[in-house]
Amino acid sequence: MDRHPLALRAWTTAIWLLVGFFILNLLAMIASVVVNSFGTRWFNTWLPNGFTTKWYFSAWAEFQLDDVLITTFQVVGAVVALSGLLGVLGAYALARREFPGKRLVMLLILLPLLVPPLTYGIPLATVLYQFGAAGSVFGVILANLVPTVPFVILVMIPFIEQIDPRIEAAARVFGANSRQMFVHVLVPLLAPGILAALLMVLVRTIAMFELTFFTAGPSSQTLVVALYYAVYAAGVRAGQSIDAMAVIYMATTMVWLLIALRFVNPTQLVTRVKKS
């Protein structure tokens, strides 16, 4: 009679041990990168021979991180603004209108979220190169809009559907046109959803490698692509400088992720989507 509870406890313990082992290895890898970014030399010892911050200054100068960060923020800012505008308008149209083939349209819109970016990144980059857009900040922005606009639509549709259409009708009765109704009535009601979607888009864009890598040029690299070139480009580079650049990338991403999690509960977003 007691075998099943005993087996269940053993299975639960094994799962927790496996999860703990994974987390421990992950933290150990991150810690080794952080420690090495401050180390002078590190050979066959638990800790480096000494610690210094010069590798951060070296990485900043060698990899031109000031230009890379400016480009990153330009791309992220433009993607967040455009995906918010296009995504909210698209979500409103899909939430409020019924038309033949709506399910097919939704499937096509959400397709970039269902398949890996690598599968459509190369054809997308080819098209952008043919039109002369790739290799520039504009091309990187266009490429990143492909998955972010559908993501905003997916998040915003449940928020819009929860708003009673009679509120919009009442605003029109009192003389509000479409723009006034949208800006002064819907946007304040949708503010939590818009904030959640845009913060997640921001984190997603900072971490997006494939689409940015395929469409970026020498002057339009974001931080994640610049980090890749720092690791794999020809030439001899100090490993500590590369690790310092990796720490800067991790810190930038983690700061925005923590800000996003301060305002966004991923479980609530999933629940809203499932209900929709």
Side-chain angles (χ1 to χ4, degrees):
M1 294 295 294
D2 295 332
R3 290 182 179 179
H4 293 294
L6 182 61
L8 181 60
R9 285 196 296 269
W11 176 252
T12 303
T13 303
I15 293 296
W16 278 110
L17 287 175
L18 183 62
V19 171
F21 179 75
F22 171 79
I23 294 176
L24 181 63
N25 276 273
L26 179 62
L27 293 177
M29 288 188 291
I30 295 174
S32 66
V33 173
V34 174
V35 171
N36 192 46
S37 69
F38 288 100
T40 53
R41 292 189 302 172
W42 195 1
F43 297 107
N44 297 325
T45 57
W46 283 101
L47 292 173
N49 296 334
F51 294 94
T52 179
T53 58
K54 71 174 184 178
W55 302 116
Y56 285 86
F57 296 100
S58 174
W60 194 275
E62 182 180 1
F63 304 121
Q64 299 177 337
L65 289 186
D66 48 351
D67 295 333
V68 172
L69 287 174
I70 290 173
T71 301
T72 302
F73 294 141
Q74 287 175 340
V75 170
V76 171
V79 170
V80 168
L82 292 174
S83 61
L85 177 63
L86 299 175
V88 172
L89 293 176
Y92 179 79
L94 290 170
R96 288 289 190 252
R97 298 290 184 269
E98 293 293 335
F99 53 88
K102 180 178 178 179
R103 290 183 177 274
L104 178 60
V105 172
M106 280 292 299
L107 177 62
L108 293 176
I109 290 176
L110 299 180
L111 197 59
L113 299 177
L114 303 176
V115 298
L118 189 64
T119 58
Y120 61 86
I122 296 177
L124 176 62
T126 302
V127 172
L128 291 177
Y129 273 108
Q130 289 177 347
F131 285 94
S136 64
V137 174
F138 178 68
V140 175
I141 293 171
L142 287 179
N144 279 274
L145 286 175
V146 174
T148 55
V149 172
F151 177 79
V152 175
I153 292 175
L154 178 66
V155 172
M156 290 307 303
I157 285 179
F159 283 94
I160 295 173
E161 290 178 340
Q162 290 180 359
I163 297 177
D164 194 334
R166 290 176 294 183
I167 297 177
E168 303 169 35
R172 294 186 184 276
V173 168
F174 284 99
N177 56 33
S178 297
R179 184 188 64 81
Q180 292 172 331
M181 183 271 296
F182 196 85
V183 173
H184 298 291
V185 177
L186 285 182
V187 170
L189 294 174
L190 294 174
I194 294 174
L195 180 63
L198 295 188
L199 284 172
M200 297 304 292
V201 166
L202 186 148
V203 175
R204 181 187 178 97
T205 305
I206 291 178
M208 176 56 70
F209 172 75
E210 296 92 338
L211 299 180
T212 306
F213 176 75
F214 289 140
T215 56
S219 61
S220 57
Q221 296 177 4
T222 60
L223 188 56
V224 64
V225 175
L227 177 60
Y228 172 84
Y229 281 117
V231 175
Y232 293 103
V236 178
R237 295 174 176 82
Q240 294 94 330
S241 292
I242 296 176
D243 285 345
M245 187 176 179
V247 171
I248 294 173
Y249 170 70
M250 285 190 297
T252 304
T253 306
M254 285 300 297
V255 166
W256 285 112
L257 181 60
L258 291 175
I259 294 174
L261 292 176
R262 172 64 179 80
F263 296 97
V264 180
N265 188 336
T267 304
Q268 291 180 353
L269 291 181
V270 173
T271 303
R272 290 177 182 269
V273 172
K274 285 184 176 180
K275 289 180 179 179
S276 173

